[in-house]
Amino acid sequence: MDLRLYDTLTREKRPFVPLDPNNVRMYVCGPTVYDFAHIGNARPVVVFDVLFRLLRHRYGADHVTYVRNITDVEDKINARAVRDFPDLPLNEAIRHVTEKTAAQFHADVEALGCLPPTFEPRATEFVLPRADGKADMVTLIGQLLARGHAYEAGGEVLFDTASMPDYGMLSGRKLEEQQAGVRIAVEAHKKNPADFVLWKQSSANEPGWESPWGRGRPGWHIECSAMSAAYLGDVFDIHGGGLDLIFPHHENEIAQSRCAHGTPTMANYWMHNGFLQVEGDKMSKSTGNFVTIRELLYDWPGEVLRFQMLMTHYRSPIDWTRHATEQAAVALDGFLHITRSVDIEDGNISPDVLAALSDDLNTSQVVVQLHALAARGRAGDYQAACDLKATCNFLGFGLKEVGLQDILRHQKSDIDSSRVDALILDRAVARARKDFKESDRIRDELAGMGVVLKDGKDANGKPVTTWEIAR
């Protein structure tokens, strides 16, 4: 059966034809490691892990290269480093922050059943020319300047969007209609408001690298152009990420890469997962429904969260609710009961599941097919039970113990509850004055004590915070 994927660039579902079947190449934008990853960050990780597994099944595990970057240079990281490690040199403080948060991210996504990517480059390692000759940001910027697609102004190097006639194809925005977007500053020194920063100067309290344009640091977008080219080449098969990255990030990646390399495209397929909200509302710290992966993992096994994520088609918006989590837990508990005594070696991956995945990762249909297998296994069909176990294993569900009676627990400890309550009150005051840095600091202090916070609303709709001990 053909694999068909929806391509955001062409706005159609197309048969997937790799550039080289012996080296299928995929790049997905990874996390900015300045804090715990939230459940919205988990969606692209889980979605493209499923695609990675499917590609490995079709082409062979040794013939698929999956690159997911780590962004470890960014203004929020700088601020966190100054706050948490004021006595260290800035670059060293930044490394302390990102090493810790990257390790947290890795532990979280491993608990969600995700395979590690083939390569996971860090942005800071690809700023300057490398000894191994792999692509780097400074060299790419130099190529853009040499080709007339960038210019120096106001102490910055900027991409000249007017130099690319079809700029805006991915987002469908015409250059003359575009407004400044996320992380795009409108400055007098720009030729066009949509022109974006490739290199900017760094002050003494900002990280910096020496470059032909002075001590500075790269803009947001150039890092992915460099790291994808470093491991996948100038043109590769699939580029993935969240819907929120289409503009400006992915639009600008395309512009940089095409213009630097002189290629007609950057990736042959552009895939984007939909937005995630929590209990019917947009996830936001100010509304109290900001949920991290780590917090959810305190209450639920990772495979329950993974199953819940795949109950909705990846391109559709998803409403993350406790009710849906409970449904996922019940389903997996039922699968476990059916497959506990069967041998996975006797099973095969369900062709109906493979067919659903081959139709643009239709995981909602995959869930239907898993329930159909479960129904047959429950009725005594040994082969169906074996196939269910093999298929769940392929999808990243190991069918471990997920009994509901053991999921929610509040453990005893010698934590000073009055101290916890006082900190929660301080956090509420900080949130009321919209001091989210202080709110985050208090949350991290409580996490270090082994306390997990739960933000919600009472019967009158007023914000309320409860706590429990990490299990």
Side-chain angles (χ1 to χ4, degrees):
M1 70 194 79
D2 287 340
L3 170 59
R4 297 174 62 83
L5 300 174
Y6 184 85
D7 178 17
T8 306
L9 186 62
T10 61
R11 273 82 171 164
E12 64 178 351
K13 195 186 299 184
R14 305 193 284 121
F16 176 69
V17 180
L19 292 165
D20 179 3
N22 290 315
N23 185 18
V24 181
R25 289 162 284 168
M26 177 171 69
Y27 184 91
V28 176
C29 290
T32 300
V33 287
Y34 68 91
D35 204 349
F36 286 103
H38 58 70
I39 191 60
N41 300 140
R43 193 174 193 193
V45 178
V46 172
V47 164
F48 291 103
D49 178 72
V50 172
L51 180 56
F52 183 37
R53 290 168 181 269
L54 179 62
L55 293 173
R56 284 160 55 98
H57 176 76
R58 294 180 68 96
Y59 297 98
D62 295 334
H63 300 295
V64 181
T65 303
Y66 173 23
V67 178
R68 185 183 66 218
N69 75 295
I70 285 181
T71 296
D72 58 351
V73 55
E74 204 261 357
D75 290 343
K76 291 180 181 178
I77 295 175
N78 304 344
R80 183 76 178 261
V82 170
R83 186 196 79 185
D84 292 354
F85 303 98
D87 299 328
L88 292 179
L90 183 60
N91 282 350
E92 185 178 344
I94 287 171
R95 191 71 179 188
H96 273 69
V97 169
T98 58
E99 287 288 357
K100 176 182 177 182
T101 50
Q104 292 167 346
F105 171 77
H106 289 145
D108 288 348
V109 297
E110 181 181 0
L112 295 176
C114 297
L115 300 172
T118 315
F119 299 105
E120 193 176 46
R122 299 173 70 103
T124 50
E125 297 171 353
F126 287 80
V127 176
L128 300 177
R130 296 167 51 93
D132 61 9
K134 284 184 167 62
D136 66 89
M137 301 178 213
V138 165
T139 299
L140 278 180
I141 294 170
Q143 291 173 340
L144 289 168
L145 284 165
R147 290 174 175 266
H149 293 290
Y151 60 95
E152 296 182 62
E156 298 177 332
V157 181
L158 299 113
F159 184 88
D160 185 357
T161 51
S163 72
M164 183 180 180
D166 55 357
Y167 178 83
M169 287 184 66
L170 183 68
S171 61
R173 301 178 183 218
K174 295 181 180 179
L175 186 59
E176 61 271 17
E177 297 173 353
Q178 288 184 20
Q179 301 295 319
V182 178
R183 305 192 195 183
I184 296 182
V186 180
E187 303 289 352
H189 62 276
K190 289 186 176 183
K191 294 181 180 179
N192 187 297
D195 292 353
F196 56 91
V197 174
L198 299 169
W199 189 264
K200 51 189 173 184
Q201 292 180 336
S202 290
S203 64
N205 64 344
E206 293 172 323
W209 291 262
E210 295 299 331
S211 79
W213 318 287
R215 181 180 179 275
R217 61 196 192 280
W220 175 32
H221 315 294
I222 194 68
E223 64 180 66
C224 288
S225 287
M227 289 183 282
S228 61
Y231 289 101
L232 303 178
D234 297 350
V235 180
F236 51 94
D237 295 300
I238 300 169
H239 195 311
L243 198 64
D244 57 313
L245 296 180
I246 292 177
F247 186 86
H249 187 48
H250 287 171
E251 194 75 80
N252 293 346
E253 277 189 60
I254 292 173
Q256 295 164 162
S257 295
R258 285 182 52 192
C259 292
H261 303 309
T263 56
T265 190
M266 177 186 182
N268 280 348
Y269 299 81
W270 287 83
M271 298 178 65
H272 295 92
N273 61 270
F275 292 115
L276 182 145
Q277 60 183 20
V278 176
E279 299 289 351
D281 292 320
K282 181 179 178 181
M283 186 165 56
S284 168
K285 291 183 179 180
S286 62
T287 58
N289 69 342
F290 186 86
V291 184
T292 67
I293 305 171
R294 181 63 53 89
E295 289 168 333
L296 287 169
L297 287 171
Y298 283 133
D299 283 346
W300 304 94
E303 53 192 359
V304 169
L305 306 179
R306 182 182 180 88
F307 190 86
Q308 179 182 0
M309 192 73 74
L310 300 182
M311 287 162 60
T312 302
H313 191 283
Y314 80 93
R315 285 194 286 117
S316 299
I318 184 172
D319 187 13
W320 193 269
T321 67
R322 182 180 179 87
H323 176 66
T325 312
E326 292 171 347
Q327 285 183 311
V330 169
L332 286 181
D333 203 38
F335 294 170
L336 171 66
H337 179 73
I338 294 165
T339 61
R340 182 177 283 115
S341 60
V342 303
D343 191 341
I344 193 173
E345 299 299 326
D346 293 335
N348 301 299
I349 300 172
S350 164
D352 293 328
V353 165
L354 290 174
L357 290 176
S358 297
D359 182 19
D360 192 35
L361 295 187
N362 191 345
T363 55
S364 53
Q365 182 60 30
V366 165
V367 171
V368 171
Q369 296 302 329
L370 291 176
H371 280 293
L373 274 176
R376 288 163 46 199
R378 196 175 295 113
D381 186 334
Y382 177 79
Q383 187 60 54
C386 293
D387 291 351
L388 175 63
K389 192 166 191 173
T391 303
C392 285
N393 185 68
F394 164 68
L395 292 168
F397 309 113
L399 293 182
K400 302 172 186 175
E401 294 290 341
V402 292
L404 292 179
Q405 68 276 12
D406 296 324
I407 287 176
L408 297 175
R409 62 183 64 171
H410 189 96
Q411 299 177 348
K412 296 180 180 179
S413 78
D414 57 358
I415 286 178
D416 183 350
S417 60
S418 61
R419 171 62 176 160
V420 172
D421 291 339
L423 286 171
I424 289 176
L425 179 60
D426 290 344
R427 180 172 176 265
V429 172
R431 288 161 67 86
R433 65 172 183 261
K434 299 189 182 300
D435 186 352
F436 299 121
K437 287 185 179 179
E438 176 63 8
S439 172
D440 287 348
R441 187 199 67 74
I442 294 171
R443 187 195 68 189
D444 290 345
E445 180 178 347
L446 287 165
M449 297 166 58
V451 172
V452 182
L453 298 183
K454 298 294 179 182
D455 293 316
K457 296 180 181 178
D458 62 18
N460 297 317
K462 294 182 178 180
V464 62
T465 299
T466 60
W467 64 275
E468 62 184 47
I469 309 304
R471 58 175 179 159

